[in-house]
Amino acid sequence: MQSSAIALSPSTPFLKSPCRIPSCKFSQLSASTCFTQLHRISSIQRLYWQTAFGTFSTSSSSFNAEIPASFLSVNRSYDSLKVRAAQAAAPGPESAGEAPESSGLARTLQLGAMFGIWYLLNIYFNIYNKQVLKVYPFPATVTAFQFACGTVMIILMWTLNLYPRPKITRSQLAAILPLAVTHTMGNLLTNISIGKVAVSFTHTIKSMEPFFTVLFSALLLAERPTIWVVSSLVPIVGGVALASFTEASFNWIGFGSAMASNITNQSRNVLSKKLMVKKEESLDNINLFSVITIISFILLLPSTILLEGVKFSPSYLQSAANQGLNIKELCVRSLLAGFCFHTYQQVSYMILQMVSPVTHAVGNCVKRVVVIVSSVIFFQTPVSPINSLGTAMALAGVFLYSRAKRIKPKPKAA
């Protein structure tokens, strides 16, 4: 289930533009003052700003537009004065590297913290979700409740102006609706699988997502995969097959629903490329995911009542309590699962806005490993050596796939 509220990127230092003095004599100014007033004139000064601060871009069109054409040609003696002024005012090499290094360190720490939160929320979601589905075997109701939690959080986010609310056009809604349908089905099928088999086995099967991505991209988008991508699919398919044959909790409903969730999730990704509206009209990742979540809740609520009936009414919960079900624990764990469900996906989209898709894919592969290992430890799932080998093969194939996607095919010679 994928994988970015507000993108938390380090704030760029704001350089206050120097004040312009209408008239002054060059001889009355110190070297550093002269450089401050004249840094927009010469490319030497612009190079100094880039070296000293590492964050000021001189390729900006607005910056270049401010330079009169007559200022672009200066005599050599004037240039030599400015060179000496730049040398006098320029800091040493140690202080020049402090700003980029501190900014890079802050970004690394921020990304590390966000990846940690993403993984931790995934672990807790899978644990709480499995605990709820064990005692409350109604996956459609559970999924609808999780979408409801996300819808409430999104409405609060827009109401409190934590993130700008989008204006949806009809063309956007028409493009988003198929994505919402496949998103709804993918999450529902995943919950069906988690309710029937071990969490680790569900995620092992879901590691086959790259296989269906390549398949649908070839069928619907006419994209030919490279030999490296096709090669990475071999350990994925073989590892899932090996893990399935030796899985102690194997169940055809759980296996089939997990495999079907792969189909729906990857068809959603392909449809997002094929059906999304024009780029200038498209939504950002956070608002796109928010709109999809709300539509998914609207679609799934009546379908849940039709499939499973009203399993969340006070009378039904009271009847379940009389049979020994702890309603308080059920409600608490359901709320926690719903909160983690929406939050980890929001964090995932936030990370996607800060890193490349390939880096995000590698992080998602590591996340799946973390979830499988943590669920095996928490639920004490029996795992045979062959089953472990199959799971490891599948996850290694996913990692190779994410790396193979970076290899671009060589252009054919004319």
Side-chain angles (χ1 to χ4, degrees):
M1 292 181 290
Q2 295 302 325
S3 185
S4 228
I6 305 173
L8 301 175
S9 57
S11 58
T12 304
F14 184 78
L15 300 181
K16 185 178 180 180
S17 58
C19 58
R20 299 179 181 176
I21 302 177
S23 62
C24 61
K25 294 182 179 181
F26 183 82
S27 61
Q28 296 176 349
L29 300 178
S30 66
S32 60
T33 308
C34 175
F35 174 72
T36 305
Q37 294 185 31
L38 297 176
H39 74 280
R40 293 187 178 218
I41 298 175
S42 173
S43 61
I44 298 175
Q45 277 81 352
R46 295 201 298 272
L47 179 61
Y48 160 67
W49 280 96
Q50 287 179 326
T51 304
F53 294 96
T55 55
F56 190 80
S57 174
T58 59
S59 62
S60 171
S61 59
S62 61
F63 177 83
N64 293 331
E66 293 177 3
I67 305 177
S70 60
F71 287 174
L72 297 179
S73 59
V74 292
N75 56 53
R76 295 182 179 179
S77 61
Y78 194 59
D79 283 341
S80 64
L81 287 173
K82 289 184 288 181
V83 168
R84 289 196 293 271
Q87 292 174 348
E94 294 181 359
S95 59
E98 289 178 0
E101 287 179 4
S102 60
S103 177
L105 178 62
R107 179 180 174 83
T108 301
L109 292 175
Q110 183 185 28
L111 275 174
M114 293 180 69
F115 271 99
I117 294 171
W118 184 24
Y119 294 171
L120 192 64
L121 289 170
N122 261 274
I123 292 171
Y124 277 109
F125 165 69
N126 282 277
I127 290 174
Y128 289 135
N129 198 31
K130 179 64 175 179
Q131 289 176 335
V132 169
L133 289 169
K134 268 186 175 181
V135 299
Y136 191 75
F138 304 106
T141 302
V142 171
T143 308
F145 182 79
Q146 291 167 359
F147 282 133
C149 290
T151 300
V152 171
M153 294 172 66
I154 291 165
I155 293 174
L156 288 175
M157 177 182 73
W158 287 341
T159 303
L160 299 176
N161 293 323
L162 300 177
Y163 202 80
R165 180 171 53 185
K167 295 181 180 179
I168 308 298
T169 63
R170 290 186 177 181
S171 60
Q172 286 177 323
L173 188 61
I176 293 172
L177 188 59
L179 306 181
V181 172
T182 53
H183 180 72
T184 305
M185 294 177 62
N187 284 277
L188 174 59
L189 290 166
T190 299
N191 278 345
I192 292 174
S193 177
I194 290 177
K196 293 292 184 180
V197 297
V199 174
S200 57
F201 184 50
T202 297
H203 282 276
T204 300
I205 300 171
K206 286 179 69 63
S207 65
M208 278 195 67
E209 286 180 348
F211 173 82
F212 293 100
T213 299
V214 173
L215 178 63
F216 291 145
S217 296
L219 294 178
L220 301 179
L221 303 179
E223 294 182 359
R224 296 184 61 182
T226 64
I227 185 64
W228 303 109
V229 169
V230 174
S231 300
S232 68
L233 300 179
V234 176
I236 296 177
V237 176
V240 171
L242 189 61
S244 300
F245 289 144
T246 57
E247 174 60 36
S249 66
F250 183 86
N251 177 284
W252 279 109
I253 297 178
F255 174 83
S257 55
M259 197 65 71
S261 72
N262 287 335
I263 297 174
T264 54
N265 286 334
Q266 297 317 301
S267 62
R268 175 196 63 194
N269 295 342
V270 173
L271 284 172
S272 66
K273 294 182 181 180
K274 191 177 182 65
L275 299 177
M276 270 309 292
V277 292
K278 297 179 181 178
K279 185 177 180 180
E280 59 270 15
E281 299 177 356
S282 62
L283 302 174
D284 61 86
N285 286 339
I286 301 298
N287 277 329
L288 176 60
F289 169 67
S290 300
V291 172
I292 287 176
T293 299
I294 295 174
I295 295 176
S296 296
F297 171 65
I298 296 173
L299 292 174
L300 190 56
L301 183 61
S303 303
T304 297
I305 297 174
L306 182 64
L307 292 172
E308 297 178 348
V310 181
K311 302 298 185 184
F312 48 85
S313 63
S315 58
Y316 178 84
L317 294 178
Q318 183 61 44
S319 174
N322 295 334
Q323 298 178 7
L325 181 63
N326 191 328
I327 301 300
K328 181 180 178 180
E329 284 293 322
L330 175 66
C331 293
V332 170
R333 294 177 191 274
S334 296
L335 284 171
L336 290 172
F339 171 80
C340 294
F341 170 74
H342 180 76
T343 308
Y344 91 74
Q345 295 189 73
Q346 284 281 22
V347 174
S348 173
Y349 278 102
M350 289 164 62
I351 294 174
L352 185 58
Q353 289 185 169
M354 298 176 65
V355 300
S356 67
V358 174
T359 302
H360 189 272
V362 173
N364 191 54
C365 175
V366 177
K367 179 211 72 177
R368 204 173 293 283
V369 175
V370 171
V371 170
I372 289 175
V373 173
S374 61
S375 64
V376 168
I377 295 173
F378 183 86
F379 294 109
Q380 298 182 349
T381 307
V383 180
S384 66
I386 299 179
N387 185 275
S388 301
L389 176 62
T391 301
M393 284 177 55
L395 295 175
V398 174
F399 178 78
L400 292 175
Y401 170 81
S402 64
R403 304 298 295 178
K405 291 290 288 183
R406 300 183 62 179
I407 303 175
K408 297 181 180 180
K410 295 181 179 179
K412 296 181 180 180

